[in-house]
Amino acid sequence: MQFILPSIWTRRTLGIILAFQATACVFSESFDDFHVRRILHEVSQQDDESFQAHRRPPLRIRAGKARRGEAHVVVSPILKAERSDLQIWQVDGLLADVECDRLIQAHLNATAASLQPLYCFGGKSALESTVIAPLGRKDISTRDFVPGTLCLNESVSASLHGLLPLSFATQWSTAEMPFAKRLAGRIKKLTGLPDSHGGMWRLLEYEPGAPYSEHTDCNGNGPRDRGATVVVYLNHVAGGPRSGLTVFPKVHKQVEPVRGRAAIWQNTDAHGHCLEESVHVGEAPVEGKKFVLSRWYHNENFVSLGKRVPEPELPLRAVGQPRVTCDGANQCRW
């Protein structure tokens, strides 16, 4: 199987096809140093390949099998459209149960906070659609924002806590956690997607009533666009057959959240243009919680890709005080 992003490969890597190998692999990495640092890592000297903006042909895949210890990693196509570049694949057994559990625990440790969060908004329309209209909070005005920001002050933020559906997120770079590097290598062996083109790893936690609404991962950002997406489900989601699905409404396909399973699809066509039919929805769990690990792979790499960005200077917050961002699509993320 081979994934190829839209661009021109170097001669050394052009045309490489990575087949599945039935070899036993042991993944017993220690998670003792698994944590999310809130600092910007200095960009270290990297080899020429890491900094070169690669251009590659369109994504391709050849389904197959591999072994992970005593378990099988099975890749199967969900959709191979005849009149579109969109293709969707399902990978069963990408992560072992113990790996899923440790990832979730590390995320829960990172998001545990004793301080009330500040609620911030993408704009006034986001405040209107998320708070004022649905909660009837017409008493909130611009005087309740922290000066120079669209973040509500501590007292008003505290009054909203527990009233808005939330999703929680932690993120890290491959350099910040040894397991991430090993997982990136595992994905490359199965798909051909190089770690050098991958962004930050994100672990997302969804509660009932907090879906990830209809969207595309591509954003029209030219050659730096998100060419492919990898989503790994870390738990079995309770609540029935519709609970926690990843749905592609324009092509009438869906992926069921099974622990250790990955959904992989490309977002751009052979010319790097956004595929409108790649629009998808992350359904909220009907019961309990839903945990997923996701990563975007870009058509070209660039120096800042996969690096942690600095925390914004405003609003001023106490050490360890979280910030919740609401984007106007009735979504608020911790």
Side-chain angles (χ1 to χ4, degrees):
M1 172 183 64
Q2 184 189 27
F3 278 99
I4 310 178
L5 298 171
S7 41
I8 301 172
W9 258 135
T10 61
R11 183 174 181 179
R12 180 165 59 89
T13 55
L14 180 63
I16 291 178
I17 298 178
L18 296 176
F20 290 107
Q21 300 179 0
T23 56
C25 302
V26 179
F27 301 104
S28 58
E29 306 88 59
S30 168
F31 281 73
D32 292 342
D33 53 0
F34 183 131
H35 59 284
V36 181
R37 299 184 179 93
R38 295 176 63 87
I39 61 173
L40 174 65
H41 278 245
E42 294 294 329
V43 178
S44 60
Q45 182 64 35
Q46 302 180 20
D47 57 28
D48 292 341
E49 182 177 348
S50 296
F51 281 97
Q52 183 176 353
H54 298 304
R55 301 192 61 81
R56 309 181 70 188
L59 269 123
R60 292 289 185 266
I61 187 172
R62 186 175 63 195
K65 297 180 180 180
R67 291 185 64 83
R68 177 177 50 76
E70 295 302 318
H72 288 277
V73 179
V74 181
V75 181
S76 56
I78 300 298
L79 172 71
K80 298 183 74 172
E82 295 181 358
R83 298 184 180 182
S84 170
D85 288 317
L86 177 63
Q87 298 182 54
I88 306 168
W89 300 273
Q90 177 177 298
V91 182
D92 285 337
L94 181 64
L95 289 180
D97 288 352
V98 65
E99 293 171 330
C100 294
D101 290 341
R102 288 173 175 172
L103 284 164
I104 291 172
Q105 188 57 55
H107 161 79
L108 294 176
N109 292 342
T111 55
S114 58
L115 298 176
Q116 289 285 350
L118 293 182
Y119 282 79
C120 303
F121 300 84
K124 292 183 179 180
S125 60
L127 176 66
E128 172 69 30
S129 62
T130 306
V131 175
I132 298 177
L135 299 181
R137 291 297 302 271
K138 296 182 179 180
D139 57 307
I140 296 177
S141 69
T142 55
R143 66 175 177 271
D144 298 310
F145 288 103
V146 176
T149 75
L150 284 174
C151 297
L152 295 171
N153 61 42
E154 290 195 27
S155 61
V156 178
S157 289
S159 72
L160 297 178
H161 196 54
L163 300 179
L164 299 175
L166 295 177
S167 63
F168 297 79
T170 53
Q171 63 177 356
W172 61 87
S173 69
T174 299
E176 290 174 330
M177 185 181 66
F179 176 73
K181 185 173 183 178
R182 295 184 177 95
L183 179 56
R186 195 181 307 178
I187 291 172
K188 182 177 180 180
K189 288 180 180 178
L190 291 171
T191 67
L193 291 171
D195 183 45
S196 60
H197 287 58
M200 296 287 284
W201 301 86
R202 301 184 304 151
L203 201 157
L204 308 173
E205 173 189 350
Y206 297 96
E207 297 181 334
Y212 202 140
S213 60
E214 190 172 293
H215 66 285
T216 60
D217 289 342
C218 46
N219 52 25
N221 194 24
R224 293 187 176 185
D225 209 348
R226 303 160 180 167
T229 298
V230 175
V231 171
V232 190
Y233 307 99
L234 302 181
N235 68 314
H236 295 294
V237 182
R242 296 291 304 177
S243 184
L245 294 173
T246 300
V247 180
F248 298 83
K250 291 193 175 183
V251 294
H252 309 291
K253 297 294 180 181
Q254 61 191 36
V255 181
E256 180 183 352
V258 174
R259 183 154 74 157
R261 170 182 290 173
I264 305 175
W265 64 92
Q266 102 273 3
N267 305 301
T268 56
D269 64 15
H271 306 288
H273 300 146
C274 187
L275 289 170
E276 295 299 329
E277 57 268 39
S278 70
V279 65
H280 55 282
V281 178
E283 296 285 3
V286 176
E287 299 176 11
K289 294 187 176 184
K290 171 185 172 184
F291 296 91
V292 300
L293 177 68
S294 71
R295 195 186 198 197
W296 293 311
Y297 285 81
H298 295 248
N299 291 333
E300 293 185 4
N301 71 348
F302 40 95
V303 173
S304 61
L305 180 62
K307 308 296 190 302
R308 186 175 297 279
V309 298
E311 288 287 324
E313 294 182 3
L314 295 176
L316 295 176
R317 290 176 288 158
V319 176
Q321 184 175 26
R323 182 184 61 177
V324 172
T325 301
C326 302
D327 62 9
N330 199 27
Q331 294 177 337
C332 295
R333 177 167 295 164
W334 186 293

